[in-house]
Amino acid sequence: MAIFAVSYRYSDDVAARDTHRPEHREFLAQCKGLLLSGPLTDPPGALLLVAADSAEQVEQRLDGDPFRREGVIVERVVRSYDPLLGSLAGAVAAHR
């Protein structure tokens, strides 16, 4: 199992984000392998850490995100991530 960093870039439609945020968060709470998730600012988006066998598997798991379905996510990038240092590095790496 590997760790992947996923970055989302959101549309400028704040009303759509606000409307669909509860369903989006509920979806992520049930997402297999999700280690961390949280919003980014400037530009608006999010960063997620996901444990999975492949980048394709991460994409498949996240394809059902209501933000994606509703066009809130305008860009999604999935990259392999290898946590080495920091207070959470060991906890995140333990999911490999």
Side-chain angles (χ1 to χ4, degrees):
M1 183 131 346
I3 306 295
F4 295 88
V6 181
S7 60
Y8 284 170
R9 187 171 54 87
Y10 295 154
S11 74
D12 293 331
D13 188 346
V14 176
R17 277 185 294 203
D18 291 345
T19 298
H20 301 290
R21 184 175 292 115
E23 187 181 6
H24 162 72
R25 287 185 175 172
E26 185 177 316
F27 170 83
L28 290 178
Q30 302 299 317
C31 185
K32 183 178 178 184
L34 181 69
L35 304 175
L36 292 170
S37 175
L40 298 170
T41 58
D42 202 21
L47 177 65
L48 300 80
L49 295 183
V50 182
D53 291 329
S54 67
E56 293 79 16
Q57 188 177 63
V58 172
E59 290 172 349
Q60 289 172 352
R61 290 179 186 172
L62 295 176
D63 279 349
D65 189 331
F67 270 12
R68 185 171 190 269
R69 179 190 70 224
E70 300 298 333
V72 173
I73 298 169
V74 296
E75 180 181 44
R76 178 178 74 184
V77 178
V78 178
R79 294 177 286 196
S80 180
Y81 178 64
D82 190 13
L84 296 177
L85 300 172
S87 61
L88 295 177
V92 172
H95 293 275
R96 284 189 258 169

